[in-house]
Amino acid sequence: MARLVLNHLSDSTYRLLAIEANKRNVNLSELAVVLLEIAVAELAARHPAVLPSPNGGSPDSN
């Protein structure tokens, strides 16, 4: 997953991420994944997903 995240960053964003990872003495890939997880959690908090139930019914029918 880390490689996928890093491959989709712009060059400038990748450089900034590399600088910050180096400052914190952490692995660049790990920092990328952590930041992605934080971003996804923030989006999920703002826009709760409405997922269909596994049986194909509406979420409220369970």
Side-chain angles (χ1 to χ4, degrees):
M1 181 162 135
R3 184 177 302 249
L4 179 66
V5 171
L6 294 174
N7 285 340
H8 286 83
L9 297 177
S10 67
D11 290 341
S12 60
T13 301
Y14 182 90
R15 259 186 258 110
L16 289 172
L17 187 62
I19 290 167
E20 293 305 318
N22 189 43
K23 283 181 189 176
R24 291 162 174 74
N25 198 28
V26 296
N27 181 289
L28 177 63
S29 296
E30 291 175 7
L31 182 58
V33 171
V34 168
L35 292 173
L36 177 63
E37 290 175 349
I38 292 168
V40 169
E42 288 180 356
L43 284 173
R46 280 190 246 149
H47 304 285
V50 178
L51 301 175
S53 66
N55 64 5
S58 68
D60 295 334
S61 66
N62 291 337

